[in-house]
Amino acid sequence: MAAVSVEASAPAQSRGRRQSQSRRGLLLVAPALTVMAIFIIVPAVISIGGTFFVEGQGVSLGNYRDFFGNAQSTGNLIFTIQVTAIALTGLLVTGLAVALYLRFSQSRLVAAIQVLALLPLFVPGIIASFALIRFLGPAGWLSIGLKAIGIDSYQTPYLHVSGAVIGLIWQQLPLTVLLLIAGLAQVSNRAIEAARDVGAGTATVFTKIVLPQMYRSLVVAGCLNALDIFGSFTVPYILGPAAPQMMSIYMQRTFSELHKPGSAETQAAITFLVCLLIGALYTVFVFRDAANNAESAR
């Protein structure tokens, strides 16, 4: 009977320990959650709620009808999504190439490439933008160098979509490289050597061994960079075209130049909701991956 009572009490003790750990965990994160609620969540809810009230109409979708019924507003939203998609694709391709080189190359240039890849991390966006103008602009060093060797057909990306994309890729490259290198650290050299011993080529090793093990890092880097790029202001403002505009630039212009705070608030709410969708995708993936890892560890 004593053995039975001990076995019966073991699950209860285990549940008690888990509940105690859960309470301690909640106490640890409570200060951060409180700060987020006061300075982010509550103001965001109030701001989004305010977009559903139109003066003289009460509760209304008028602000959103005005936004989606305006060709300029929808054009800027589509332009922002396009720039984000193009820059994100170029960023992941470039970052993956650099990360693979840093992870597997035995060259003496690895240290120099790593320094160059991480350099933008310590350069403010506004300084990087003006440096790119000096290099890529119509009278920049690249144009001067090409003319010196007889090439006069150079078209500067400055004040074009490509200028904003180049600036965004350069600015976001360090974070991407760091995340992807962390993912590549999980790839075992023994697994790669074993695959090569049985005749696997470089493409097979990459698609069957390397890529599956860094899938999580790619998704995390993609989501975090998509959030940063979608809400970026300085680089697109300096390097990008005057029209169409990124949503961040458009809402700032609407608020400060056109003096339409209600419209700017609606633009901000729509931008927030798009970013919220990206954040939800990131959260679902991370929690699902964590749950799968916990299940496999049992």
Side-chain angles (χ1 to χ4, degrees):
M1 293 295 293
V4 173
S5 63
V6 170
E7 292 177 359
S9 64
Q13 293 176 356
S14 178
R15 285 195 299 270
R17 284 195 298 269
R18 287 198 297 268
Q19 291 175 355
S20 176
Q21 292 173 355
S22 177
R23 285 193 291 268
R24 286 198 295 268
L26 289 174
L27 288 175
L28 288 173
V29 301
L33 289 176
T34 302
V35 172
M36 287 180 60
I38 294 174
F39 293 102
I40 299 176
I41 299 175
V42 173
V45 170
I46 293 174
S47 180
I48 293 175
T51 62
F52 292 97
F53 290 89
V54 179
E55 186 176 354
Q57 300 180 21
V59 179
S60 172
L61 295 175
N63 287 325
Y64 292 91
R65 282 196 297 266
D66 291 342
F67 179 90
F68 290 105
N70 187 309
Q72 183 182 21
S73 299
T74 54
N76 287 333
L77 178 60
I78 294 172
F79 175 75
T80 304
I81 295 173
Q82 290 174 340
V83 170
T84 301
I86 295 170
L88 185 61
T89 302
L91 181 62
L92 290 178
V93 171
T94 305
L96 182 59
V98 174
L100 288 170
Y101 179 82
L102 295 178
R103 170 66 175 82
F104 296 110
S105 177
Q106 303 297 325
S107 171
R108 296 180 180 179
L109 296 176
V110 168
I113 297 298
Q114 184 173 9
V115 170
L116 291 175
L118 299 182
L119 178 63
L121 190 65
F122 309 100
V123 180
I126 189 169
I127 295 177
S129 299
F130 283 108
L132 287 172
I133 292 174
R134 184 61 177 164
F135 180 74
L136 299 172
W141 298 334
L142 181 59
S143 177
I144 295 173
L146 292 175
K147 287 181 179 179
I149 59 176
I151 300 176
D152 297 323
S153 58
Y154 172 72
Q155 297 292 326
T156 176
Y158 176 49
L159 298 181
H160 293 82
V161 177
S162 54
V165 169
I166 292 171
L168 289 169
I169 290 175
W170 195 83
Q171 186 181 42
Q172 300 296 129
L173 186 62
L175 174 63
T176 306
V177 170
L178 290 175
L179 289 172
L180 296 183
I181 286 178
L184 286 170
Q186 303 174 11
V187 180
S188 171
N189 288 333
R190 292 182 179 179
I192 296 176
E193 292 171 359
R196 286 176 175 169
D197 288 341
V198 297
T202 302
T204 303
V205 170
F206 176 72
T207 56
K208 301 296 184 181
I209 298 177
V210 176
L211 197 59
Q213 296 190 53
M214 60 180 306
Y215 173 70
R216 179 179 180 179
S217 297
L218 282 169
V219 173
V220 170
C223 290
L224 294 180
N225 282 306
L227 291 171
D228 284 341
I229 294 171
F230 196 89
S232 60
F233 178 87
T234 302
V235 172
Y237 181 76
I238 296 175
L239 298 176
Q245 298 173 323
M246 297 284 283
M247 286 298 295
S248 56
I249 303 171
Y250 181 47
M251 70 181 70
Q252 188 274 339
R253 176 175 171 270
T254 302
F255 181 82
S256 62
E257 297 181 15
L258 303 180
H259 306 291
K260 295 181 178 180
S263 298
E265 193 172 43
T266 303
Q267 296 160 14
I270 292 172
T271 302
F272 175 78
L273 291 175
V274 173
C275 293
L276 188 64
L277 291 175
I278 300 173
L281 175 65
Y282 167 80
T283 303
V284 168
F285 175 82
V286 169
F287 275 98
R288 185 186 65 182
D289 191 62
N292 291 338
N293 290 338
E295 188 68 25
S296 61
R298 291 179 181 177

